[in-house]
């Protein structure tokens, strides 16, 4: 009888639970002002019985919102809208009620809006456990600088004189622009980032521990350039003009415009950048010989003129409050020409030359890109269930044509043989197609599941032509010409589960990628096919110890595939004794990375990292003893071990002076059993200090001072000597901050230069490379149009990993 009574009681309890679950309420309502104006607002509903339960939603442009399947109980609702006082109310959903109206009236808050306008300026550097953000739009010294120049000032990031990017001493960086990879090699990426003006950039995100939602490419991490977007209703935009001078003149101009109404957002921008810059290269090298060393002094001055044009246009159609369809096209058409004059003195010492070569090498280049994106996004319900779909198509065409004219002189300055004159033509065609689908499913108020699929297809066609001048005719050199075709298909699937406890957040993810590739060197009759399948797990944990202290831990496995140019066996000449060549037999590299972080009061941030990379892909500079030349190539080395410590701390010194300091130290070790016919093991501890200072002189006037110092380091076979630099900027605003005038001086002391020697035994050289870094710039920005704010839509296209590997 007791058992029966117990079963009966449990049955009643069960029926009550089921009844409660099946009688949830549908809540509808409208957010309006006291004057009857309908407002788009954010609403958060929290249970008073269980504070871990909450739901969020946003009212549409008509102020309306709907919540399905709302449980029974007592709740607190918080309503936020820009320009209005925050509203807090409690309410109760009665048991058995299936429909309920819940509307809210907001009061306008002028004083709070004015306060935000004065004090709401974001700091230059923001640190989170999972990423570091540089707010470029707040930087004065970024004025008129290119994206590549600005990136070199970001804590933990290094950019060498050739534009190659590394994070905490590691290469293998996946660079995105608005969540979309650039589809460019290190060389072409540098050209692209030099053409992107800092006035177009809102923020730069540095993500060192990406989740499985990101492509697995990038062992060092991901850098995402987020461009400026207009967030206002009506018609509005901005105009930028800039002028600069170092040793040569520079200029930039840009126009962006946006029109937004209830159902439509149309936007577009165009930017032009003209930059004439010089570079000096000096190499002292000793080539070992049998009983007799040969001394080379190679020197070169290059003046490069580039004319860059970037454009973007798009449209977003808001079908209703839950569904949006968008189309975006971006592209650039850039032209340039270089004039390189230099020579090589050859002798038994550096003081007296037995012979010399004088070179004159003019070049012309052009780059074209057109990309299209079609995007659909559906917010399925108010619980956060979402579905998005992207289709992408991009094509690239580049042409680089260089004429090499070499004249030979003896020790008396007399020509002793006929000149060597040849030329290269390097047309390149690339097509990329990609599709991806992403789905977000909230399992409950604290658990969310993300899933997605992606496929991409890349085709590259490079027809390298090498011609010698014979008399007045040009003759193709078959032994140095080559036609290289590369095709690649990557198919990926990912899943990521996030759960929020009261003070702990956990995310577990897994990404699977299948790669099929074929490299065909037609002239050499070399075909390299590969097909492989990989798993890339990721894990992150964030623990809030108390309101002031937070800790995090992350792990991920990543891949770096050889970029398209590195696989191309073409030979590119710097001069007769220096050249570079690709390697079609490169294998991908794999990295396992761990990171531990600590954050105090959302300000002080300390992180410790460790990673190990197998089959390291890296540039190496090697001697060719028989011809006494130097050549740069790309090889797989066995392993790289990397440790890093980063300490970042922003602080306010006085009411008008704030500063941010970052200390980064790395320990890198590269080991391999066979490099230049011998074992190679090099390790080095180095550090970098970044410091930025902001001075608020008045509500409309500000100044900025920043600088960095990097100690000596080892990168591959290069031993890099220390360098440092200082930048200064001044800003003045007029007409209620609609007109902003900035004056900036970069590398005030003119100290930024590369000084490199060999870390490889048996190779003796010292290289100095100095670019035109001391530049003074004046920039004007004018903002026009409506200021009625409405959040813009940001989207990430399906084109991600592939673009970052084109060369």
């Amino acid at each position: 009888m007791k058992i029966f009574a117990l079963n009966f009681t449990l049955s009643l309890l069960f029926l009550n639970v089921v009844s409660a679950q099946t009688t949830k309420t549908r809540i509808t309502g409208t957010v309006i002002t006291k004057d009857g104006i309908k407002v788009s607002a954010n609403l958060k509903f929290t249970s008073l019985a269980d504070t871990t339960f909450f739901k969020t939603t946003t009212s549409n442009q008509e102020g309306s919102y709907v919540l399905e399947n709302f449980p029974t109980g007592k709740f607190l609702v918080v309503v936020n809208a820009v320009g209005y006082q925050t509203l807090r109310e409690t309410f109760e959903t009665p048991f058995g009620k299936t429909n309920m109206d819940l509307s809210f009236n907001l009061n306008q808050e002028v004083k709070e809006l004015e306060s935000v306008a004065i004090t709401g300026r974001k700091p230059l550097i923001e640190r989170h456990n999972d990423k570091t953000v540089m707010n470029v739009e707040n930087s004065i010294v970024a004025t008129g600088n290119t994206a590549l120049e600005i990136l070199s000032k970001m804590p933990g990031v290094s950019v060498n004189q050739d534009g190659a990017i590394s994070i905490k001493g590691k290469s293998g960086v996946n660079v995105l622009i608005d969540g979309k990879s650039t589809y460019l090699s290190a060389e072409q990426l540098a050209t692209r980032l030099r053409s992107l003006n800092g006035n177009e950039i809102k923020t730069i995100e540095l993500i060192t521990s990406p989740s499985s939602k990101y492509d697995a490419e990038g062992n060092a991490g991901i850098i995402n350039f987020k461009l400026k977007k207009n967030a206002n209703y009506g018609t509005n935009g901005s105009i930028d003009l800039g002028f600069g001078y170092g040793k040569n003149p520079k200029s930039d101009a840009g126009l962006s415009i946006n029109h937004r109404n209830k159902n439509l957002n149309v936007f577009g921008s165009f930017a032009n950048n003209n930059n004439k810059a010089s570079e000096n290269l000096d190499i002292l090298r000793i080539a070992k010989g049998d009983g007799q060393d040969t001394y080379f002094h190679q020197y070169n001055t290059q003046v490069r003129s580039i004319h860059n044009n970037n454009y973007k246009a798009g449209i977003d159609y808001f079908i209703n409050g839950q569904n949006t369809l968008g189309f975006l096209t971006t592209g650039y058409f850039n032209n340039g020409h270089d004039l390189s004059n230099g020579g090589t003195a050859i002798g038994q010492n550096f003081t007296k030359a037995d012979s010399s070569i004088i070179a004159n090498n003019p070049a012309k280049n052009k780059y074209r890109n057109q990309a299209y994106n079609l995007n659909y996004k559906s917010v399925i319900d108010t619980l956060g269930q979402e579905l998005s779909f992207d289709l992408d198509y991009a094509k690239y065409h580049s042409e680089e044509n260089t004429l090499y004219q070499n004249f030979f002189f003896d020790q008396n300055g007399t020509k002793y043989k006929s000149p060597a004159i040849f030329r290269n033509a390097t047309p390149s065609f690339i097509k990329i197609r990609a599709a991806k689908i992403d789905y977000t499913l909230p399992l409950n108020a604290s658990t969310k599941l993300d899933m997605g699929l992606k496929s991409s297809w890349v085709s590259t066609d490079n027809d390298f032509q090498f011609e010698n001048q014979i008399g007045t005719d040009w003759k193709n050199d078959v032994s140095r010409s080559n036609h290289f075709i590369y095709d690649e298909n990557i198919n990926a699937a990912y899943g990521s589960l996030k759960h929020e406890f009261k003070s702990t957040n956990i995310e577990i993810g897994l990404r699977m990628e299948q790669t099929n590739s074929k490299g065909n060197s037609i002239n050499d009759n070399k075909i390299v096919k590969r097909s492989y399948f990989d798993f890339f797990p990721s894990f992150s944990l964030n623990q809030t110890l108390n309101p002031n202290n937070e800790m995090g831990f992350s792990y991920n496995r990543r891949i770096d595939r050889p970029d398209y140019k590195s696989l191309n066996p073409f030979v590119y000449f710097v001069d007769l004794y220096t050249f570079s060549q690709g390697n079609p037999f490169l294998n991908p590299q794999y990295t396992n990375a761990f990171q531990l972080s600590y954050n105090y009061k959302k300000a002080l941030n300390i992180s410790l990292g460790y990673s190990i990379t197998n089959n390291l892909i890296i540039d190496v500079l090697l001697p060719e003893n028989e011809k006494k030349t130097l050549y740069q190539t790309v090889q797989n080395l066995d392993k790289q071990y990397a440790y890093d410590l980063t300490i970042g701390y922003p602080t306010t010194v006085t009411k008008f002076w704030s500063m941010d300091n970052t200390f980064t130290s790395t320990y890198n070790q590269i080991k391999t059993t066979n490099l230049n016919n011998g074992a190679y093991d090099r390790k080095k501890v180095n550090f970098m200090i970044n410091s930025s200072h902001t001075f608020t002189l008045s509500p409309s006037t500000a100044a900025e001072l920043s600088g960095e110092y990097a100690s000596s380091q080892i990168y591959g076979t290069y031993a890099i000597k220390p360098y440092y630099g200082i930048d200064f900027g001044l800003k003045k605003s007029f007409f209620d901050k609609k007109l902003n005038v900035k004056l900036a001086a970069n590398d005030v002391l003119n100290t930024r230069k590369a000084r490199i020697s060999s870390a490889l035994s048996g190779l003796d050289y010292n290289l100095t490379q100095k670019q035109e870094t001391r530049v003074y710039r004046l920039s004007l920005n004018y903002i026009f149009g409506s200021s009625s704010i409405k959040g813009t839509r940001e989207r990430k296209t399906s084109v991600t990993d592939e673009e970052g590997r084109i060369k």
Side-chain angles (χ1 to χ4, degrees), residues 428-531:
S428 176
F429 298 89
I430 302 168
K431 291 183 180 180
I432 302 172
R433 294 164 293 159
K436 78 179 181 80
I437 184 169
D438 295 293
Y439 175 63
T440 298
L441 175 64
L443 302 179
N444 53 49
S446 57
T447 307
K448 183 174 70 172
L449 177 65
D450 289 306
M451 299 178 289
L453 300 170
K454 178 191 171 185
S455 290
S456 63
W457 299 265
V458 177
S459 176
T460 72
D461 189 332
N462 299 272
D463 191 5
F464 182 88
Q465 299 294 324
F466 189 104
E467 296 180 328
N468 292 307
Q469 188 179 51
I470 310 297
T472 58
D473 299 324
W474 290 98
K475 184 176 181 180
N476 183 40
D477 189 335
V478 179
S479 64
R480 293 182 173 179
S481 298
N482 192 22
H483 190 186
F484 182 73
I485 297 175
Y486 181 82
D487 295 293
E488 180 184 82
N489 162 236
I490 299 176
N491 303 299
Y494 77 89
S496 176
L497 184 66
K498 299 179 183 177
H499 184 76
E500 298 180 2
F501 296 95
K502 187 174 182 180
S503 59
T504 307
N505 295 334
I506 295 178
E507 180 175 356
I508 301 173
L510 178 65
R511 188 176 186 90
M512 297 165 286
E513 293 189 352
Q514 185 223 9
T515 305
N516 306 292
S517 65
K518 178 183 177 181
N520 185 4
S521 182
I522 295 175
N523 294 37
D524 297 335
N525 195 27
K526 293 179 181 178
I527 297 178
V528 179
K529 286 185 178 182
R530 288 195 173 91
S531 182

Side-chain angles (χ1 to χ4, degrees), residues 58-72:
T58 302
S59 60
N60 62 21
Q61 296 171 7
E62 296 299 319
S64 301
Y65 73 95
V66 179
L67 284 174
E68 303 284 356
N69 300 319
F70 204 89
T72 299

Side-chain angles (χ1 to χ4, degrees), residues 13-44:
L13 289 172
F14 176 75
L15 289 174
N16 286 335
V17 171
V18 171
S19 177
Q21 290 177 342
T22 56
T23 57
K24 292 184 177 181
T25 305
R26 182 177 189 267
I27 298 178
T28 59
T30 305
V31 181
I32 61 176
T33 69
K34 296 293 185 181
D35 299 325
I37 301 173
K38 298 175 181 179
V39 177
S40 176
N42 295 317
L43 301 93
K44 182 176 181 179

Side-chain angles (χ1 to χ4, degrees), residues 501-569:
F501 296 95
K502 187 174 182 180
S503 59
T504 307
N505 295 334
I506 295 178
E507 180 175 356
I508 301 173
L510 178 65
R511 188 176 186 90
M512 297 165 286
E513 293 189 352
Q514 185 223 9
T515 305
N516 306 292
S517 65
K518 178 183 177 181
N520 185 4
S521 182
I522 295 175
N523 294 37
D524 297 335
N525 195 27
K526 293 179 181 178
I527 297 178
V528 179
K529 286 185 178 182
R530 288 195 173 91
S531 182
Y532 47 94
F533 188 88
D534 290 303
F535 293 89
F536 302 98
S538 63
F539 172 79
S540 69
L541 182 149
N542 285 297
Q543 177 69 46
T544 301
L545 305 176
N546 54 52
N548 292 332
N549 296 275
E550 184 179 348
M551 294 194 70
F553 172 78
S554 66
Y555 160 78
N556 59 63
R557 182 175 188 261
R558 304 191 67 76
I559 187 176
D560 281 290
R561 301 173 183 87
D563 62 55
Y564 314 130
K565 186 177 179 181
S566 295
L567 293 166
N568 193 331

Side-chain angles (χ1 to χ4, degrees), residues 131-191:
K131 64 183 177 182
T132 301
V133 179
M134 175 186 278
N135 293 300
V136 178
E137 62 182 347
N138 291 339
S139 174
I140 302 173
V141 299
T143 299
N145 279 292
T146 67
L148 196 65
E149 291 169 327
I150 297 170
L151 184 61
S152 67
K153 299 175 176 61
M154 189 162 191
V157 178
S158 297
V159 180
N160 70 16
Q161 298 287 310
D162 297 323
I165 303 167
S166 61
I167 299 176
K168 298 179 181 180
K170 296 186 293 183
S171 59
V173 180
N174 190 8
V175 176
L176 316 177
I177 297 178
D178 276 336
K180 174 182 175 181
S181 286
T182 49
Y183 281 99
L184 303 171
S185 67
E187 180 183 332
Q188 288 185 322
L189 175 62
T191 301

Side-chain angles (χ1 to χ4, degrees), residues 342 357-362 403-407 419-422 469 474:
I357 304 171
I358 303 300
N360 178 261
N361 307 328
L403 174 64
Y404 298 89
Q405 302 173 104
N406 299 279
F407 305 92
I421 300 176
F422 55 91
Q469 188 179 51
W474 290 98

